[in-house]
Amino acid sequence: MRAAGLRRAWIACLLLAGLGFVPAAWGAESHGGGDHGAGGDQGGGHGAAPAAPIEPLPVAPRTVPVELVRTLQLLQDRIAQGSAQAHHGQRAFLSLAESRMIGLDPEVWADPVSVHAAVTFGLGGGGPALLRHLVASGKVPEAERPVVFGALAYLEGREKEARALLVKIDPLTVPVSLGAQLALAQSALVVRDDPTQSIRLLDLARLLAPGTLVEEGALRREIFVLAQANDLVKFETLAVQYLRRFRHSVYAGNFRQRFAAALTRLDFAGDDVRFARLQAMLDEIELEGRRELYLLLARAALDQGKTTTAVFSAERGVTLAESGSPEMVRARLYRAAALLVVEGRFDDSVETLRMTDRAVLDAADRDLLDAALSTAREIRAGPPAPMPVRAEPTGPRVLPVAPSIARAQDAIGRIDEIMRRSER
């Protein structure tokens, strides 16, 4: 048994040595004395000669712009994971990095690697100031000018020029980090004229930068482009993906509000089918996120006057909320506000509205509560009394005669009298 164990250890040592890794503890005999098993070293030495050192692979030093951009990307990846601290620190870092790069020797920008890093920085949130500095330096290589001038036009809002310069560049021909940012910018430039191409570019951005803030942003944008195109299958797939993978993102709260509004506008063919697909999609999400989405959806449906959707979503919110929680108060408020106009539900809804605890509502929901109670009072009071209508006179209608007409009529009467006298 001992010999078999030593044999296995020796085989493992050989395999690791073949990979260039030999643990220090295996570089010498661990038992000090002679070999106790077959095939031992008969020369009385203290183990095999140490393996020759492995030369490190040649790695070119990274330029300052590259190092700063990589630091920015690490910070932004934490933002995609939900770090509020990273989000607050991003602005200070952007300012610091921009000042550092603007202060570099102009010859730095003769290197395409540094130029690519600068463009990535600008498109990644740094803004146009650094790219203006690059253009003013006159050191940008000729081959890199289209991407620099195109990115600068994009950041300055010169859309037509940006489209002419940037859309021609293949994101796969530049470094990966720049390619992802470039695809994201290109998608925004073409979305109005060619939504299909915009979706393809957003897919590419996601593939080039998985797990990063670029992917998070591309996923958010693509979901809403798909909603406008009414591509329900891909919309549902990507929405579930976002809500699973980036639910803690700093930008997820804004996404959920827009997502709820988009859901109320989608055509799912009919209420039964729509609600079944909606429930199946949201069931993929964890309880907390699912509850919040149902509440946001109920509120968005109320704002758009979609009573059936509001009732369905509020009911789901009620079933997912804990008794007495602020979420339960919101869900019951939304349900009661939607049911006010449903036959047979008026009295119960009014009672729920009156019992609602205003203290746990935010300002917008307090306004909703006030509006619902005001509507309830108007419904209970009934339609306003009709305005009195003046009775029509029973005799012939006498129109007032203007003074000029009266004088003309008097003159005609006198002429008629003169003519009758002359005929006698």
Side-chain angles (χ1 to χ4, degrees), residues 59-112:
V59 177
R62 292 189 287 264
T63 65
V64 170
V66 170
E67 291 286 3
L68 290 172
V69 168
R70 291 194 175 188
T71 302
L72 173 63
Q73 290 170 336
L74 290 173
L75 193 67
Q76 291 180 334
D77 292 347
R78 292 181 59 200
I79 293 173
Q81 296 164 8
S83 172
Q85 185 178 5
H87 185 244
H88 295 318
Q90 178 182 226
R91 179 172 296 182
F93 181 80
L94 286 170
S95 177
L96 176 66
E98 179 184 285
S99 300
R100 178 82 186 279
M101 286 189 277
I102 287 177
L104 293 172
D105 189 298
E107 293 299 326
V108 169
W109 308 117
D111 181 1

Side-chain angles (χ1 to χ4, degrees), residues 60 80 102 115 134 167 171 198 210 221 257 269 327 340-341 355 412-413:
I102 287 177
V115 173
L134 261 68
V167 172
S198 179
R221 293 187 192 182
Q257 291 180 350
E327 291 79 15
L340 270 178
V341 295
M355 298 296 293
I412 292 171

Side-chain angles (χ1 to χ4, degrees), residues 79-82 216 219 239-253 255-256 284-290 293:
I79 293 173
Q81 296 164 8
E216 191 268 357
L219 199 52
V240 170
Q241 187 178 146
Y242 183 91
L243 293 167
R244 282 177 174 175
R245 297 180 54 228
F246 295 108
R247 64 181 180 272
H248 299 303
S249 168
V250 171
Y251 305 109
F255 167 81
R256 285 191 290 267
E284 296 287 335
I285 308 165
E286 84 288 352
L287 175 62
E288 181 181 352
R290 193 187 330 156
L293 271 171

Side-chain angles (χ1 to χ4, degrees), residues 16-53:
L16 289 170
L19 295 174
F21 174 74
V22 180
W26 288 5
E29 293 261 350
S30 59
H31 294 288
D35 180 28
H36 298 284
D41 182 4
Q42 301 299 323
H46 295 286

Side-chain angles (χ1 to χ4, degrees), residues 121-382:
F121 177 82
L123 294 177
L130 178 60
L131 296 185
R132 293 190 193 116
H133 175 74
L134 261 68
V135 172
S137 74
K139 298 295 183 179
V140 179
E142 183 71 27
E144 309 305 330
R145 290 184 180 179
V147 71
V148 172
F149 282 88
L152 181 57
Y154 174 77
L155 293 170
E156 292 180 339
R158 293 179 277 119
E159 188 173 322
K160 184 176 180 181
E161 183 181 349
R163 190 184 299 113
L165 291 168
L166 284 188
V167 172
K168 298 177 182 178
I169 302 173
D170 185 352
L172 296 175
T173 62
V174 296
V176 172
S177 59
L178 174 56
Q181 292 284 4
L182 184 58
L184 203 59
Q186 289 173 336
S187 71
L189 291 170
V190 304
V191 66
R192 284 196 301 271
D193 299 329
D194 192 351
T196 302
Q197 176 64 5
S198 179
I199 290 170
R200 283 196 290 265
L201 288 165
L202 291 168
D203 282 337
L204 179 59
R206 294 192 295 114
L207 289 171
L208 290 174
T212 67
L213 189 63
V214 173
E215 186 197 7
E216 191 268 357
L219 199 52
R220 270 189 287 122
R221 293 187 192 182
E222 187 170 354
I223 287 166
F224 298 119
V225 177
L226 291 167
Q228 292 179 349
N230 210 42
D231 185 344
L232 300 181
V233 174
K234 193 170 183 181
F235 170 84
E236 293 175 13
T237 300
L238 295 192
V240 170
Q241 187 178 146
Y242 183 91
L243 293 167
R244 282 177 174 175
R245 297 180 54 228
F246 295 108
R247 64 181 180 272
H248 299 303
S249 168
V250 171
Y251 305 109
N254 176 265
F255 167 81
R256 285 191 290 267
Q257 291 180 350
R258 293 183 61 197
F259 177 64
L263 284 173
T264 64
R265 293 191 294 266
L266 284 176
D267 180 14
F268 286 95
D271 283 344
D272 292 340
V273 174
R274 181 160 61 96
F275 294 151
R277 292 181 68 174
L278 175 62
Q279 185 171 340
M281 177 169 53
L282 297 190
D283 281 349
E284 296 287 335
I285 308 165
E286 84 288 352
L287 175 62
E288 181 181 352
R290 193 187 330 156
R291 180 180 60 228
E292 181 63 19
L293 271 171
Y294 274 121
L295 293 176
L296 288 171
L297 181 55
R299 181 57 199 265
L302 281 171
D303 291 341
Q304 296 179 30
K306 298 189 176 182
T307 303
T308 306
T309 301
V311 172
F312 168 80
S313 304
E315 291 281 5
R316 295 294 301 160
V318 168
T319 62
L320 296 172
E322 294 182 6
S323 179
S325 66
E327 291 79 15
M328 178 65 79
V329 175
R330 288 173 60 199
R332 287 178 172 171
L333 166 63
Y334 299 157
R335 181 177 61 182
L339 290 174
L340 270 178
V341 295
V342 176
E343 186 176 358
R345 303 299 298 272
F346 177 80
D347 291 334
D348 291 342
S349 298
V350 171
E351 184 63 22
T352 299
L353 293 172
R354 287 175 176 170
M355 298 296 293
T356 299
D357 183 1
R358 299 174 61 89
V360 303
L361 300 176
D362 62 19
D365 283 342
R366 287 196 295 271
D367 290 343
L368 172 64
L369 175 59
D370 292 338
L373 288 170
S374 176
T375 301
R377 286 192 292 269
E378 293 176 5
I379 294 173
R380 192 180 293 280

Side-chain angles (χ1 to χ4, degrees), residues 44-56:
H46 295 286
I54 299 174
E55 294 293 333

